[in-house]
């Protein structure tokens, strides 16, 4: 139980749960794809310079003000002397790519030679993952709303070794 400021690891667990809920119980209307994307964007902004404490370099810790995005740990731990101000500059929670794969694209491992995707990227015009190694093959997952960004066609595409194995004109 985390009862306080935003903590990236706990936020990642919540985002994962929301993604699973949307895939496993699509008829529920409490959690929406847009709500999930809003939280995922907030999580991503926590990793960027403009949101980290006072415009400082990217910094991931455990205590962020949930509304302002200011890193409270810097204030609490280091105060005005800020001796360790650069702690965490190059740290990226390992859950970040997990969220891109399992929530944004909704990638689910399957049996031999199979996988599923359940993308939850409300409002995105394009996104792609290239060279995702899975069961000895390189996968590419591409969403290109109008087909102009990547030149691989309009809509959602799953490619294995460069060959389209599944596609959909819509996000789904």
């Amino acid at each position: 139980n985390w009862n306080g400021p935003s903590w990236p690891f706990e936020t990642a667990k919540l985002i994962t749960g929301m993604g699973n809920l949307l895939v496993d119980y699509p008829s529920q209307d409490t959690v929406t794809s847009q709500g999930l994307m809003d939280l995922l964007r907030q999580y991503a902004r926590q990793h960027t310079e403009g949101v980290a404490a006072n415009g400082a370099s990217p910094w991931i810790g455990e205590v962020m003000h949930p509304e302002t995005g200011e890193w409270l740990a810097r204030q609490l731990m280091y105060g005005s002397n800020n001796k360790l101000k650069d702690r965490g500059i190059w740290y990226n929670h390992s859950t970040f790519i997990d969220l891109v794969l399992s929530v944004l694209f909704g990638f689910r491992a399957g049996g031999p030679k199979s996988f599923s995707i359940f993308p939850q990227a409300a409002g995105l015009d394009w996104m792609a993952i290239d060279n995702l190694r899975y069961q000895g093959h390189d996968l590419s997952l591409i969403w290109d709303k109008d087909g102009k960004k990547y030149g691989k066609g309009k809509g959602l595409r799953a490619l294995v070794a460069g060959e389209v194995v599944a596609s959909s004109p819509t996000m789904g």
Side-chain angles (χ1 to χ4, degrees):
N1 178 32
W2 182 256
N3 186 10
S6 176
W7 180 16
F9 181 65
E10 289 298 316
T11 302
K13 291 188 332 187
L14 175 63
I15 293 169
T16 298
M18 290 172 70
N20 288 338
L21 182 69
L22 287 167
V23 170
D24 296 337
Y25 300 96
S27 62
Q28 61 80 38
D29 60 2
T30 303
V31 173
T32 64
S33 185
Q34 185 60 55
L36 174 66
M37 284 301 297
D38 291 345
L39 188 57
L40 187 57
R41 281 186 181 100
Q42 177 186 1
Y43 178 82
R45 280 192 306 269
Q46 291 176 348
H47 292 74
T48 63
E49 187 170 343
V51 177
N54 303 319
S57 58
W59 188 85
I60 298 299
E62 295 180 350
V63 185
M64 176 180 257
H65 192 287
E67 294 166 357
T68 67
E70 187 171 8
W71 284 110
L72 301 174
R74 274 194 172 171
Q75 294 173 347
L76 298 172
M77 294 169 66
Y78 311 118
S80 60
N81 69 10
N82 222 359
K83 286 181 184 177
L84 300 174
K85 66 182 173 99
D86 292 333
R87 176 181 177 248
I89 279 181
W90 302 111
Y91 183 70
N92 187 0
H93 267 276
S94 60
T95 54
F96 196 90
I97 191 61
D98 294 340
L99 296 177
V100 171
L101 291 172
S102 69
V103 176
L104 199 58
F105 273 103
F107 181 84
R108 302 287 191 269
K113 298 184 180 184
S114 70
F115 62 91
S116 301
I117 55 175
F118 302 90
Q120 301 295 328
L124 292 183
D125 289 340
W126 48 267
M127 64 179 182
I129 292 181
D130 205 13
N131 297 318
L132 172 63
R133 195 76 173 154
Y134 178 67
Q135 294 188 356
H137 300 281
D138 288 328
L139 307 181
S140 296
L141 306 174
I142 301 169
W143 163 248
D144 192 343
K145 186 175 180 177
D146 61 14
K148 296 177 182 174
K149 177 69 177 176
Y150 301 109
K152 298 286 185 182
K154 182 178 177 180
L156 185 63
R157 302 264 187 272
L159 295 85
V160 176
E163 299 295 323
V164 176
V165 295
S167 65
S168 171
T170 61
M171 178 73 69

